[in-house]
Amino acid sequence: MKKGFNIILAGLFALSLAAGFVPQQTVTAASEKAQAESEPLSVYASFYPIYDFASKIGGDKVTVINLVPAGMEPHDWEPTASDIIGLENADILVYNGAGMEHWVADVLASLQNKDLIAVEASEGVTLLEGHHEGEEEHEEDEEEH
């Protein structure tokens, strides 16, 4: 069971571990804690794609809570008091980063749960420069004048 549990945690933290952002001893400590308590890890996901990823990787070894409700824009969402209470008792928070969740830094700073493992999925990833719809047309108009 220990081997299987560690494989699940390794998959969940694959992006962060590869980039060196979550120390291996942190993952091992979370695994040992969950095994000692023989209950699934409590994982909070910032919005649905992160929730889906964590659920599929963790399987029955995790309980995943999706913070942003369906139909709500992740950029605009704010955590409620009950969300904060849930995070106080959580083992892991997985969030996208890259400016998607403006509330994460403030919430993490306010939590008393110092054992919470926060995983920024985009950390260490080179982001591509984007543009807004219509921006390309505006740039072409400027070049013509």
Side-chain angles (χ1 to χ4, degrees):
M1 168 131 172
K2 183 176 182 179
K3 182 179 176 186
F5 200 75
N6 285 335
I7 290 170
I8 289 170
L9 283 175
L12 185 59
F13 294 113
L15 293 173
S16 295
L17 287 174
F21 297 109
V22 177
Q24 180 60 43
Q25 64 269 20
T26 303
V27 174
T28 303
S31 173
E32 290 171 358
K33 176 185 170 194
Q35 283 179 342
E37 296 173 2
S38 48
E39 56 186 59
L41 287 173
S42 172
V43 178
Y44 276 66
S46 59
F47 63 106
Y48 185 77
I50 303 292
Y51 165 86
D52 187 51
F53 174 76
S55 297
K56 287 179 178 165
I57 296 295
D60 64 350
K61 305 296 184 200
V62 297
T63 300
V64 184
I65 293 90
N66 184 25
L67 288 168
V68 178
M72 186 87 175
E73 173 61 42
H75 291 288
D76 299 333
W77 182 82
E78 294 281 338
T80 64
S82 63
D83 295 324
I84 303 297
I85 291 168
L87 287 167
E88 286 289 2
N89 298 306
D91 296 306
I92 302 168
L93 167 64
V94 185
Y95 63 100
N96 185 72
M100 177 68 82
E101 306 94 338
H102 64 88
W103 50 268
V104 170
D106 291 337
V107 167
L108 290 175
S110 72
L111 293 176
Q112 300 298 311
N113 180 359
K114 299 308 175 199
D115 294 328
L116 178 69
I117 299 169
V119 179
E120 181 178 355
S122 66
E123 191 165 343
V125 174
T126 303
L127 302 174
L128 299 175
E129 187 71 29
H131 67 277
H132 297 316
E133 187 175 321
E135 186 175 291
E136 209 171 82
E137 295 161 4
H138 180 69
E139 290 172 4
E140 289 173 4
D141 290 341
E142 287 179 359
E143 289 174 11
E144 291 174 6
H145 297 289

